[in-house]
Amino acid sequence: MSISTPIDTPYAERATSLVARTDQDRWGSVGPSLYETARVLSAAPWLPGEPRRITYLLEQQAPDGSWGEGPLPYRLLPTLSAVEAALAVLRRGTTSAEVTGRLTAAVNTGLGVLRALPPVCPWPDTAAAEILVPSLVAKINEKLGSLTTGENTPDPDGPRLPVPGGFHASAPARVARRYEPAGSLPVKFHHTFEGMDSYIPPSLVPDAVGLLGSSPAATAARATRQPATTAQAITDLTAVAQRYGGLFPEAAPLRVVERLWVAAALARAHLPNAALPTVRGWAEEIYDPQGVRGAPGLMTDADDTAMAVLVASLVGLPYGPAPLDLFHNGSHYDCYIGEDTGSVTANAHALQALVSHLRRRPTAEHTYGPRAAKLCDWLIGRQQPEGHWSDKWHASPYYATARSVIALTQYGGHHASRAARSAAAWTTDTQRADGSWGVWGGTAEETAYAVKILLNATTPTPRRTRALDLAETYLHATSHTGHQHPALWHDKTLYAPTAVIEAEVLTAQEMLRARRAAACTEADVERTDA
């Protein structure tokens, strides 16, 4: 990818450069995933580049013996994945004595972390954790039981790893049995197929072109069950590995999500004229009357569909919200058919899309007006007593709160305004001393969301003005110091879509600059009047 535009460059040039870089990247700006890379390492000894993946696994282990990002609950799945992959490599017996010793030590310390987990923990609502966690525990115990005791091997007679509290060992097999009579596995399980590969009969192994469910891990697992697909899997996985230095992200390619979220973020400030043709081209390509999917091989979903409708409206394309009808359940939108838990942010995006469409097409009020009103009520009903929202697609409440506030203030009305003011009060109360916001520590991404909450939800007050001044200083400082964006987004584990985050931070800075300019103009007018 090309180097980012210097941060002192005017907004229009930086935004246009970001759009151009996003357009040129065929895979997406997410980094490699420890979880996904370890799954490929375990399942695909036939794939070139194994030494690189082993080195990465060893380098990524934290001093406490765990793997992954975020607090301990988020580290469960990456740690399970890494331990199982290291055991798989040890069982193959193909590494040098030095590497074997390092892998053994990594396994032993990782097992220590897993065995010391609390009996009950509020695990995050990441993708298919209820299947992936018990599946990995079973694979770890099977490999431990098959190892021969030796100087450089984990103790096979150690205690079996228990399934963490809140998960059920029978879940993967139970899901597999549910779909065996139908003879096929629903598309929603393709992305996390590696959690079910040991439990399903051959008739349920998906037959699809390209990466299965956009997942390298799922693709490697399918090749293990269907050796006839190995040659194609090598071709597909090698292409991804070339982009990520021999490693793998959790989804590839991520073009649809990245382009829609970048475009929507930039539009909140303004889309530069130079970037408009590219963004319009994205919208024309992505919009689909049958619903939009975030990546090839995934289900169509309401979140990506809503964003496609919204971006199309923002760039003036004559596309309506009819594709969203596929997901409406009477009160709000399900992300996909068979969803277990509703998404606040997907519905906030849907409300933005409806409002944007109604402003352009007032004649559609009889169709989409009542639906927008119900959606507004649904969102308000999910606001927490403290004033914020949370969502299953992001670890930070600032993301969900910003999305909800933007949607509600665009919709308008007394109830929506009251909810937005409550969110703004919570946001102001939770600012950190350095001017940042963050669920685990101050970040530029979450500070950008907080800025948008305050700018959308409240009228100027001395306290809000001070909060925004501090935020502007923080964002300026972090931009100059090369602030690394931590992983806060949910898939199977945490990830960071860098281009999307850059767009959010860039537009927050531009909105703050415009606020200062407006304040200076107002002061000049007052002095002139005086």
Side-chain angles (χ1 to χ4, degrees), residues 311-323:
V311 171
S313 178
L314 293 173
V315 298
L317 293 175
Y319 302 151

Side-chain angles (χ1 to χ4, degrees), residues 70 139 157 174 194 229 235 257 345 384 461 463 477:
K139 289 178 179 179
D157 297 321
R174 187 170 64 250
E194 71 275 11
T229 67
T235 299
V257 172
T345 58
Q384 300 298 311
T461 65
R463 191 177 180 211

Side-chain angles (χ1 to χ4, degrees), residues 80-92:
L80 287 168
S81 184
V83 167
E84 196 279 340
L87 286 168
V89 174
L90 287 171
R91 190 161 69 170
R92 292 200 282 266

Side-chain angles (χ1 to χ4, degrees), residues 459-483:
T459 53
T461 65
R463 191 177 180 211
R464 189 201 77 156
T465 298
R466 174 169 172 74
L468 290 171
D469 287 344
L470 289 171
E472 186 170 16
T473 300
Y474 172 82
L475 290 176
H476 183 76
T478 55
S479 295
H480 278 89
T481 56
H483 177 81

